[in-house]
Structure formats: structure tokens, C-alpha cells
């Protein structure tokens, strides 16, 4: 959602400029919507199991909300990508307020 990215950049301009000054680049990565996983029924549960977030042997029961499961799955994909290219990664939610001295 472009408006959320624009709001994040506006709110965190100083911190993002500081990160860029030391060579850290930022990009937008769309997340996995937990509600979509829920609507997928068994397929969504299998996908969460593949991410290692739920145990299908326990009927897929989790104490996490669907939104939290979607967030966790999104982060897991990003960490796998970072490991595959052997590069560090910072992940910020679009609602984050970064300290300008970051």
C-alpha cells in the first residue's frame, strides 16, 4: 500500500537518511495477510506449517492471531532471503517510529 510506505518514510525521514548515509538501502516488501491465510482454510494451515509456525498434528491450533501469523510468516520469508544471500537485514513494520539517532 503506497500510502502506508509514504507515511512511514515521512515519519522516519531522519532515521532513513542516517541509514542511507552508511550504505543501508530500504525497500518495500508486501507482507502476508493473515486473513488471507485464514480464508484459504486447509491450504493456509499447510502454508503456516511450512513456515514452521504451527503444528498440524495439533489441528493447527495456535495462540497467535491470524494477523500475527501473517506477520511472522512475512518475517520468516525475509530472514530466509537474507540467509540465502548472506546479508544482514533490518525489518520494520510500516507502523514503526524509528529513533532519529539510529
Amino acid at each position: 500500500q503506497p500510502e502506508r510506505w509514504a507515511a512511514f518514510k515521512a515519519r522516519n525521514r531522519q532515521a532513513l537518511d542516517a541509514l542511507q548515509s552508511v550504505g543501508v538501502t530500504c525497500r518495500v516488501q508486501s507482507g502476508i495477510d493473515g486473513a488471507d491465510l485464514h480464508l484459504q482454510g486447509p491450504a493456509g494451515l499447510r502454508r503456516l506449517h511450512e513456515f514452521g509456525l504451527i503444528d498440524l498434528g495439533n489441528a493447527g491450533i495456535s495462540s497467535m492471531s491470524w494477523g500475527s501469523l501473517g506477520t511472522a510468516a512475512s518475517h520468516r520469508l525475509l530472514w530466509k532471503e537474507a540467509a540465502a544471500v548472506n546479508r544482514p537485514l533490518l525489518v520494520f513494520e510500516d507502523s514503526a517510529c524509528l529513533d532519529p539517532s539510529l
Side-chain angles (χ1 to χ4, degrees):
Q1 296 175 342
E3 67 278 355
R4 292 174 79 165
W5 172 238
F8 174 84
K9 288 193 307 186
R11 185 174 52 253
N12 295 294
R13 177 54 41 211
Q14 250 185 307
L16 293 173
D17 287 347
L19 288 169
Q20 189 172 19
S21 74
V22 294
V24 176
T25 58
C26 294
R27 76 167 206 238
V28 176
Q29 177 68 42
S30 295
I32 296 171
D33 188 337
D36 288 343
L37 291 172
H38 176 66
L39 293 174
Q40 292 172 11
L45 291 175
R46 279 192 299 279
R47 194 161 177 212
L48 290 169
H49 176 70
E50 290 167 4
F51 289 128
L53 299 173
I54 63 169
D55 176 8
L56 290 179
N58 194 18
I61 296 171
S62 172
S63 60
M64 296 171 67
S65 70
W66 284 102
S68 294
L69 287 166
T71 298
S74 299
H75 285 227
R76 183 145 170 111
L77 284 175
L78 291 168
W79 289 115
K80 285 179 80 170
E81 178 185 320
V85 297
N86 197 30
R87 293 192 56 193
L89 173 72
L90 297 170
V91 177
F92 301 113
E93 292 298 313
D94 59 18
S95 58
C97 293
L98 307 178
D99 185 319
S101 65
L102 182 69

